[in-house]
Amino acid sequence: MEPPSYEEASLHPPPLSPAGFNIPPPPSYDASLTSPSTPPPTYGEAVGVTSTVNGRQTQPVVVVTQPPPVPVSVPYLRDSPGLVRCPYCHHTVTTKVTYLPGKTAWCLCILLSLMGLICGFCLIPFMVRGLQDAHHSCPQCGNHLHVYTR
């Protein structure tokens, strides 16, 4: 497609310029900067909760405590350490997790071997934590608590 000739282009009106829209310019930055006449109030003045001791205003002391963590039941343990009450030593502990290859890792290893990936590639499932079983034990007494299988 060829561009129009000079004669054809001169027959059409020129495109509108930004000056044709009558848009006012933005305000200057110096006009919006004003300094406050007084400083902002302090937190105690803003909240209004103060008391007077020996002629001085003091803030009340607020102590926030968190509730103690609630241990989960042993069958609800997943692949990460969990807070449980050990059924053997009756202590509330965070479990110690050991990751060992399970059925999923072995099945994937056999599948990769059957596909012809026998030059070490079939061993990859034994190195991926997401394919291994999580064995939970108590760090206090050392007893086995739960196995999370994939």
Side-chain angles (χ1 to χ4, degrees):
M1 180 172 172
E2 300 260 339
S5 66
Y6 180 76
E7 290 82 23
E8 291 175 358
S10 62
L11 294 175
H12 297 290
L16 291 177
S17 64
F21 287 112
N22 294 333
I23 299 174
S28 66
Y29 290 109
D30 297 332
S32 63
L33 296 176
T34 59
S35 60
S37 59
T38 59
T42 63
Y43 177 76
E45 293 170 348
V47 174
V49 182
T50 58
S51 60
T52 305
V53 176
N54 295 334
R56 294 181 57 192
Q57 290 185 347
T58 60
Q59 297 290 329
V61 177
V62 178
V63 178
V64 178
T65 59
Q66 293 182 342
V70 178
V72 297
S73 180
V74 172
Y76 294 110
L77 291 172
R78 304 288 289 181
D79 60 343
S80 60
L83 187 69
V84 296
R85 183 171 176 88
C86 178
Y88 302 103
C89 66
H90 304 291
H91 285 95
T92 302
V93 294
T94 301
T95 61
K96 178 183 164 190
V97 180
T98 307
Y99 297 96
L100 298 173
K103 291 179 186 177
T104 306
W106 280 103
C107 290
L108 196 55
C109 174
I110 293 170
L111 180 68
L112 290 174
S113 297
L114 292 174
M115 291 174 54
L117 299 173
I118 55 173
C119 295
F121 292 107
C122 62
L123 302 176
I124 291 175
F126 297 119
M127 296 177 236
V128 177
R129 182 177 284 180
L131 298 173
Q132 298 178 355
D133 294 344
H135 293 260
H136 293 268
S137 61
C138 176
Q140 289 281 47
C141 63
N143 284 323
H144 181 74
L145 297 177
H146 182 67
V147 177
Y148 176 71
T149 58
R150 305 280 176 182

